[in-house]
Amino acid sequence: MNKVVLITGATSGIGLACARKFAENGDRLILTGRNEHALNEIRKSLTAKGTDVLTLAFDVRDRETATKYIQELPAGWQEIDVLVNNAGLALGLEPEFEGDFDDWETMIDTNIKGLLTMTRLVVPGMVKRNRGHIINVGSVAGDAAYAGGNVYCATKAAVKALSDGLRIDVANTAVRVTNLKPGLVETNFSNTRFHGDNERAANVYKGIKPLTGDDIADVAVYAANAPEHVQIAEVLILATHQASGSVIVRK
């Protein structure tokens, strides 16, 4: 049966890869992001291949707008089967005692509060229908801090705790919760972290073959299509020469 899949942060990276992979799976997509033009281009591309796509341009940090969009979903789109909480980012790599307050607030508001907003808006319907799946995109950074990661690592540790807590809260239902924890994934992640410094971002992936957005999307689609009695609770996905958040062998 085709599912209705809502993906946040769907205009690039892991979110865009998830959109394409779930489309290949035959699912219907609700794609959200801040860039309306990019969303429209993705919708045109996927629609041309036969996928039913609805796009919603908003920032998950804006709770009022997010609430409006979710509460006013058109008929046929209101029963969301899979929520992929992907919207997230890292900003800066300074020591904690030199961090930027604005960067901290953006990470906390997006990675934690934005995820909570979408969870609060979508999951009650899943519980009521006694079916659904929440896939949170966490990080290996949520397992242990690394140099300069401080607040970003804390937000991803929060994603793990929130995923675990939600899984407990819905254990009496058929709703499933998955926390995906990628390591190095070559997307615009590092470019965003370093505020557009392309050279510094490229150095993050030098000497190692990193993961791609497709690698993570493959796991998301697998988890969403596991048998109903199977809950893929947590998956750590690393490049072959990455052993942890801080141990990377470059050649």
Side-chain angles (χ1 to χ4, degrees):
M1 181 177 121
N2 293 348
K3 300 180 178 69
V4 174
V5 181
L6 191 159
I7 303 168
T8 67
T11 57
S12 63
I14 293 172
L16 177 55
C18 283
R20 290 171 174 161
K21 291 288 184 178
F22 277 104
E24 290 173 6
N25 193 58
D27 297 315
R28 303 171 64 221
L29 306 179
I30 303 174
L31 305 180
T32 85
R34 293 175 297 167
N35 188 328
E36 186 170 8
H37 175 73
L39 284 173
N40 288 336
E41 290 302 307
I42 295 164
R43 177 180 52 78
K44 289 176 186 176
S45 173
L46 294 177
T47 299
K49 297 176 182 178
T51 302
D52 203 1
V53 181
L54 174 68
T55 57
L56 306 174
F58 66 88
D59 189 327
V60 294
R61 293 178 295 170
D62 184 348
R63 184 187 304 165
E64 183 177 345
T65 302
T67 300
K68 178 179 183 295
Y69 272 118
I70 299 304
Q71 290 183 345
E72 296 178 1
L73 284 170
W77 292 98
Q78 295 169 4
E79 296 190 1
I80 297 166
D81 298 293
V82 180
L83 167 64
V84 181
N85 274 318
N86 164 74
L89 74 168
L91 292 171
L93 204 60
E94 298 82 12
E96 190 170 320
F97 57 89
E98 295 178 352
D100 184 280
F101 285 108
D102 290 337
D103 284 352
W104 290 353
E105 287 191 8
T106 299
M107 286 187 283
I108 291 168
D109 287 350
T110 305
N111 300 358
I112 302 176
K113 293 165 72 175
L115 179 146
L116 280 170
T117 292
M118 296 307 297
T119 299
R120 182 64 181 85
L121 292 173
V122 173
V123 176
M126 294 180 174
V127 171
K128 183 178 180 180
R129 294 186 295 274
N130 195 36
R131 60 181 172 83
H133 196 152
I134 303 93
I135 300 175
N136 291 331
V137 179
S139 172
V140 62
D143 289 343
Y146 55 75
N150 44 77
V151 173
Y152 173 71
C153 294
T155 66
K156 290 304 184 177
V159 171
K160 172 176 171 52
L162 292 170
S163 300
D164 291 346
L166 180 60
R167 194 177 304 110
I168 293 166
D169 291 337
V170 299
N172 64 326
T173 76
V175 176
R176 301 182 292 186
V177 181
T178 298
N179 180 25
L180 301 183
K181 304 190 300 183
L184 277 179
V185 183
E186 189 167 13
T187 63
N188 62 351
F189 175 88
S190 291
N191 186 276
T192 299
R193 163 168 260 172
F194 299 129
H195 299 283
D197 187 334
N198 295 327
E199 183 177 353
R200 191 177 179 191
N203 285 334
V204 173
Y205 309 108
K206 278 189 175 178
I208 187 172
K209 185 173 182 178
L211 301 168
T212 68
D214 284 344
D215 296 325
I216 311 308
D218 282 338
V219 181
V221 173
Y222 174 82
N225 288 279
E228 290 184 2
H229 70 288
V230 177
Q231 180 170 214
I232 310 297
E234 187 171 282
V235 185
L236 176 64
I237 312 140
L238 301 175
T240 298
H241 296 293
Q242 179 177 14
S244 70
S246 57
V247 178
I248 300 168
V249 178
R250 302 179 189 273
K251 298 182 178 181

